[in-house]
Amino acid sequence: MPRVGVISDTHGLLRPEAKTFLRGSDFIVHAGDIGGADVLKDLSALAPVTAVRGNNDKGAWAEAVAETEVLQVEEVFIYVLHNLAELDLDPVAAGFQVVVSGHSHQPSLENRDGVLYVNPGSSGPRRFKLPISVAELQVSGASVKADVVELEVDSAA
């Protein structure tokens, strides 16, 4: 059963706890606000990475990162973008089973019209009192299930 590690809003901080969680993934999705090419390089050492550019990703390295991406794992099609408010297609009509986004720093899982919407939250610098979190997808044929996991990190970080 393929495992897709999902991360977002690292803002240049790839925490060791996030790397530990992602280790063993068959694929990794980064939903934007990456913060630098080094983050993508480090993630690529763990598994193939599908990443999108976030609103804070600037500079030459970021220009090579698309604003949206599609990943197929077995029979499941995953649409990736940074800000869900900018979704400009109907995932059901387009044949997507999963939409992954970031931006809000608030982890969420929601099933709407048979489409699983996943926001792993932020695993980068803490924002307000929001959790530091990541997510995973487990794919089996045409079915997919998701979990959001809050990382145990130093509360001051």
Side-chain angles (χ1 to χ4, degrees):
M1 182 179 306
R3 176 177 183 252
V4 181
V6 184
I7 189 169
S8 187
D9 296 277
T10 48
H11 293 276
L13 174 60
L14 183 55
R15 294 174 183 269
E17 298 88 352
K19 286 175 72 171
T20 297
F21 176 83
L22 294 170
R23 194 166 281 114
S25 296
D26 297 291
F27 304 94
I28 295 173
V29 170
H30 195 306
D33 280 355
I34 300 158
D38 288 349
V39 172
L40 295 178
K41 180 180 176 191
D42 288 350
L43 291 175
S44 294
L46 302 174
V49 176
T50 300
V52 296
R53 183 172 64 237
N55 58 297
N56 289 301
D57 292 324
K58 309 283 188 214
W61 74 270
E63 291 173 13
V65 181
E67 291 185 1
T68 64
E69 284 284 357
V70 174
L71 174 65
Q72 180 181 357
V73 179
E74 293 193 355
E75 299 169 45
V76 173
F77 287 87
I78 303 164
Y79 187 77
V80 186
L81 76 164
H82 181 60
N83 185 347
L84 188 59
E86 296 175 0
L87 182 66
D88 62 355
L89 56 79
D90 175 355
V92 175
F96 292 105
Q97 291 81 21
V98 180
V99 173
V100 172
S101 64
H103 188 62
S104 71
H105 291 228
Q106 297 181 4
S108 66
L109 295 175
E110 184 181 356
N111 198 317
R112 282 188 270 162
D113 300 321
V115 176
L116 181 60
Y117 290 80
V118 179
N119 185 326
S122 171
S123 66
R126 188 177 299 276
R127 184 174 172 197
F128 312 116
K129 293 187 184 278
L130 295 171
I132 304 298
S133 58
V134 289
E136 70 178 348
L137 306 174
Q138 292 185 354
V139 178
S140 179
S143 68
V144 61
K145 70 177 200 168
D147 290 302
V148 170
V149 175
E150 185 172 345
L151 298 176
E152 297 288 329
V153 300
D154 181 354
S155 61

